[in-house]
Amino acid sequence: MAEQLSVFVDNRPGRLNAITGILRDSQINIRAMTIADHRDYGVAKLLVNDPHLAQRVLMEQGFAAALKPVLAIVITDQPGGLHELLEILAARQINVLDAYGFVVAPGQRAVWCMEVDDPVEATRLLSTHGLHLLADGELYTKYY
Amino acid sequence: MSVPVWNPAIEFMEREALERVQFANLRQTVAWALKTPFYRRRLAEVGLTHPEDLSSLRELRNLPYTTKDDLRAAYPDGLLAVEVEQAVRLHTSSGTTGMPTVIYHTRRDLDCWTELMARCIVAAGATARDVFQNMTNYGMFTGGLGLHYGAERVGMLVIPASSGNTSRQIQLMRNFQTTVVHATPSYLLHLHTALVGEGVTVDQLKLRKAFIGAEPHSEETRRKIETLFGIQAYNSYGLSEMNGPGVAFECVHQTGLHLWEDAFILEIIDPQTLQPLPEGQTGEIVMTTLQRQATPLLRYRTRDLSHLVSGHCPCGRSHRRLARLKGRSDDMLIVNGVNVFPSQIEDVLMKTPEVGTNYLIQLEKRGSLDRLVIKTEIYAKLFTGDPRTLDDLRERISEALRSVILVKPTVELHEPGSLPVSEGKAKRVVDLRPAF
Ligand SMILES: [Zn+2]
């Protein structure tokens, strides 16, 4: 399973680019990033090519950063691509807690990342439906 | 097992009898006070010119307060109630402002103080068989001489080591098998580090008890000292205006500090309204000396904050107990008319492992209402990455604070290291309310 990096960040100017600056200095590439606003703070969620290194360098600079497994699923970048996936989960009463997506090859492939309430069952279910769940390394190969 | 006690007749005296002693001593104290120019004038203002004008203990409440500023203004002898030749010692305190105050003692005053100290020492379970190393300053600082005299009276073998020179302290402790020490909590923590540095383990010492005081400290610090040394540590309360140490002390049960009520009358007041507070509420400690002839003080505002511990101590002493000090009344904040002490906020935050030690208390005005904002830092190692956990944490801290300070604050979480560091006298309160 892919690992997502969560970083606690103050909700004020100059904090997000402090994170991206630290990652750049360690030659870490960001595949996707989303940020949720919680009034005084936010939690930035990142997919990066080396999540363990990213966590270490951010913690060394005083940031609170945690790693968490996340489902990263290849879907088709076509109408109904995402719907198909969500139908499968809904049919089994699996709840999506947080999600975001990014396009890999326009018109062909996109990646859908999500946290669900039952990741084990979701993984099993999606695999049996022939969907491709990406591992860490795969996120950065160009073959999917 | 019997309770160790120095003066059972006084220490277990029924409340009613104790209050009779207090009243008799209060009249005596007023008689002494009327010998000073300061109190003659001050008491005349409320119509008190003879000790007999006071007909009950309750009437103490009609007397004016005495403040530190009064003591400064009376320096050097405006509060001296005896002839100089009757006084045998004085202690001055320069304080942080540099304006000195002075307390004089007669031979009898010193004897009373020593007696109180002996009670404290025995209440904490020390005996004549103990070897006592006194690691606080001698001289003007009252802690050194106060404990020294008390320990001698109990019959302990006293080592007047005074403060500092840690290697020598360790050497003395080993050579004479010291069993009890008196020191500030921070010095004991330093001493432990030095022991480790010199390769001495606590098993090589005979230490069994420590009396700690002279600086504010938390229950966590006390427990830490107890664990590091494998001993019992007892909290003490005193202030130079009330002799020094020996005002209130923990007994072996460590359930609050017994205040010697035959020697002091205790009141707890609201520092804003100056009205007495119901028993158990936190406020400023006000004390009246009952046994000091040379410098009697009536209703002295200590600026220290605490509350009375309710119920009876298992030791059976009738003298009521003060809780650990909660800070200074000068630090008090008023939020929508409610008194809030920063130390209460700190207590709650320190008990929350998910937040760090740095915090900031911010007061804002929102319309006509005050808004209390508590800024804390999250503790990086306990960050899970789940924002819902953080929202819950914010709500949990806010609710815990509300139950203690009766005001529901807005709690903010911030990045580790983003708030002013807790070392030294960091400014932790920011008041952004416009002044009227
Ligand atoms: Zn007791």
Side-chain angles (χ1 to χ4, degrees), chain B residues 65-314:
Chain B
Y65 291 111
T66 307
T67 64
K68 184 116 186 165
D69 283 339
D70 292 329
L71 262 56
R72 291 185 182 124
Y75 185 85
D77 57 4
L79 274 160
L80 178 60
V82 296
E83 297 300 321
V84 174
E85 49 266 41
Q86 283 179 271
V88 297
R89 193 187 317 154
L90 65 78
H91 283 272
T92 76
S93 153
S94 56
T96 43
T97 58
M99 288 280 288
T101 59
V102 59
I103 302 293
Y104 297 89
H105 298 269
T106 64
R107 194 173 302 283
R108 182 175 170 278
D109 293 344
L110 288 181
D111 187 63
C112 289
W113 179 13
T114 301
E115 193 66 17
L116 298 179
M117 265 331 320
R119 281 188 212 168
C120 296
I121 291 167
V122 172
T127 73
R129 287 185 299 280
D130 280 300
V131 177
F132 175 63
Q133 191 164 327
N134 198 7
M135 300 182 173
T136 55
N137 260 318
Y138 279 63
M140 288 298 195
F141 174 67
T142 53
L145 284 169
L147 262 294
H148 179 101
Y149 276 63
E152 281 190 354
R153 178 148 312 175
V154 170
M156 303 165 96
L157 173 59
V158 179
I159 309 171
S162 195
S163 58
N165 201 342
T166 306
S167 292
R168 183 147 172 278
Q169 299 279 11
I170 295 170
Q171 193 194 343
L172 288 167
M173 287 175 87
R174 301 187 71 182
N175 292 354
F176 299 104
Q177 312 211 319
T178 300
T179 55
V180 179
V181 295
H182 172 221
T184 60
S186 54
Y187 187 71
L188 284 181
L189 293 174
H190 168 75
L191 178 70
H192 187 267
T193 312
L195 280 173
V196 173
E198 294 193 14
V200 181
T201 64
V202 291
D203 305 334
Q204 293 170 271
L205 304 174
K206 288 281 182 284
L207 195 63
R208 64 185 200 99
K209 283 175 193 293
F211 304 148
I212 54 177
E215 65 186 21
H217 59 280
S218 63
E219 184 63 27
E220 284 72 27
T221 303
R222 179 246 286 277
R223 295 299 170 205
K224 185 173 181 189
I225 288 168
E226 291 190 324
T227 310
L228 286 175
F229 287 94
I231 60 171
Q232 269 84 51
Y234 299 92
N235 192 0
S236 70
Y237 173 62
L239 61 163
S240 59
E241 298 90 332
M242 296 290 132
N243 300 341
V247 175
F249 218 83
E250 280 182 324
C251 71
V252 290
H253 298 286
Q254 298 181 321
T255 58
L257 296 85
H258 289 283
L259 184 122
W260 304 122
E261 295 186 88
D262 58 318
F264 304 97
I265 293 178
L266 171 75
E267 295 172 89
I268 307 262
I269 65 163
D270 182 316
Q272 207 57 32
T273 64
L274 304 186
Q275 292 305 305
L277 287 169
E279 193 159 324
Q281 281 195 22
T282 296
E284 179 177 339
I285 301 171
V286 168
M287 277 198 285
T288 298
T289 61
L290 291 177
Q291 295 182 347
R292 197 170 62 205
Q293 183 175 4
T295 314
L297 291 179
L298 300 169
R299 304 192 85 197
Y300 180 71
R301 290 188 59 185
T302 66
R303 304 256 166 209
D304 289 326
L305 299 171
S306 183
H307 68 266
L308 276 169
V309 178
S310 62
H312 294 280
C313 183

Side-chain angles (χ1 to χ4, degrees), chain A residues 8 10 15 38-41, chain B residues 390-391 394 411 413 415:
Chain A
F8 181 94
D10 268 13
R15 296 316 295 157
H38 289 255
R39 199 183 69 216
D40 36 298
Y41 68 88
Chain B
L390 296 172
D391 287 348
R394 214 160 48 177
V411 174
L413 301 177
E415 286 172 25

